[in-house]
Structures are given as C-alpha cells and as structure tokens.
Amino acid sequence: EDKVVQSPLSLVVHEGDTVTLNCSYEVTNFRSLLWYKQEKKAPTFLFMLTSSGIEKKSGRLSSILDKKELFSILNITATQTGDSAVYLCAVSPNAGNNRKLIWGLGTSLAVNP
Amino acid sequence: DTEVTQTPKHLVMGMTNKKSLKCEQHMGHRAMYWYKQKAKKPPELMFVYSYEKLSINESVPSRFSPECPNSSLLNLHLHALQPEDSALYLCASSQTGNSNEQYFGPGTRLTVT
C-alpha cells in the first residue's frame, strides 16, 4: 500500500533556529513529491520535486529529494513566528490520468519568540 | 495569478437543507478537485474533474453531488448531510500534463447541525 510518513509530528523551536522536516515515502511508480504549508486555512504550495539531488530554494526555505532512499527534507533557516504552521508532504504516483495525491499526516511547527 | 476562490467562507446548515459550495479559478487549469479536511488530518480527496469530466469519485456518499459547469467553475451540491460531514471543504486546481502542483482555495468551513 502506498504511504507517506512525516517526522517529527510536532516541533517547537525558538525564533532564529534552523529546522529540518522529514518526509519518507513508499509509492508505486513515483512521479513527484510536493510540500505545502497550512496555517489556519488552505494549504499553500511550497515546492514540487521530481529529480534527486536538485535543491529547490525559496528564501529561507529549501527542499531536496532522494529517490534512492525514498525521502525528502524541508529546511527552514532563521525561523520566524510566521513560519508556525503544519507542513504537509504529498506524493503523486505516476498513474496515467490519476491525479490523487498521497498525503502524510503533517508536521506541526511552532516557532516561539 | 495563482488564486482559487471559494464561496461561502462559512456555512451552517441543517440536516434537511440543500446548499451548494462554489469554486472558481482563472489559471487555465483543466483539473479541479474537491477535498474534505477534518481537524489535524490531511486533506481527503473526494472528486476530481479533468477537462470538465468527472474522473475520480472516491466512493463519496450521494448526499454530495459535484458539478463542473465549465473549465473555471466547480460546484459541490449538498443535501441531507449528517453532523459528521462538518469539516473544511477545499477546492483545488492543477494544470494537465506533467505538472501536478495543486493550488488550493481558502476553503468553506461547513457545520451541519
């Protein structure tokens, strides 16, 4: 059965810390891995990763995929209170026209001032 | 413009009511989705429309009825809901082809009394 596992489930840090969030997966016919940030409303798209070893970066956030070891990490440097959110990882299998994403349970990040 | 809009933001309905949720996107995306999200859980896929045709129905009860009037609009008609259907209902869209980046609307917070 396809599955996505995120760790840790929750994390509390202080402003300025660097955090690393993990996402491992077991999916038949992997196509892509996506990271989302969810505050109180809808998930906001962060990154889509399809190739191993190529880092995607946006400001203080970066992510990389390892297709051999079947995991991805999301790094946040110099954290701010506005980074407090649930970070969701989802994997898209390569199944023709099927666009169903397989979701992890998320990592709840709290950044304290 | 990566915006997906949803109305209403909040909805309270009785178990005998009929109501509709609306979703709109103007990104030229040809795939649109309905998700249901309960607290502290990832989004749960309900329906997928691809080129205005229903391509995935995740065994959703018939009291939820989707409709895609055109490529920009997606509706979810609700009838005879149960209290356990109370949740955040999210609409998303994505391009067809190789991209599977899904962009989410802000959601409708539904309470069934």
Side-chain angles (χ1 to χ4, degrees), chain B residues 62-103:
Chain B
S62 60
R63 58 186 184 268
F64 296 91
S65 173
E67 178 197 19
C68 189
N70 60 54
S71 61
S72 300
L73 292 174
L74 187 66
N75 298 322
L76 186 63
H77 304 296
L78 314 172
H79 174 54
L81 295 193
Q82 304 296 311
E84 59 265 28
D85 296 322
S86 299
L88 180 67
Y89 287 83
L90 295 164
C91 174
S93 70
S94 70
Q95 291 179 336
T96 56
N98 292 326
S99 171
N100 201 36
E101 299 170 31
Q102 293 184 21
Y103 294 90

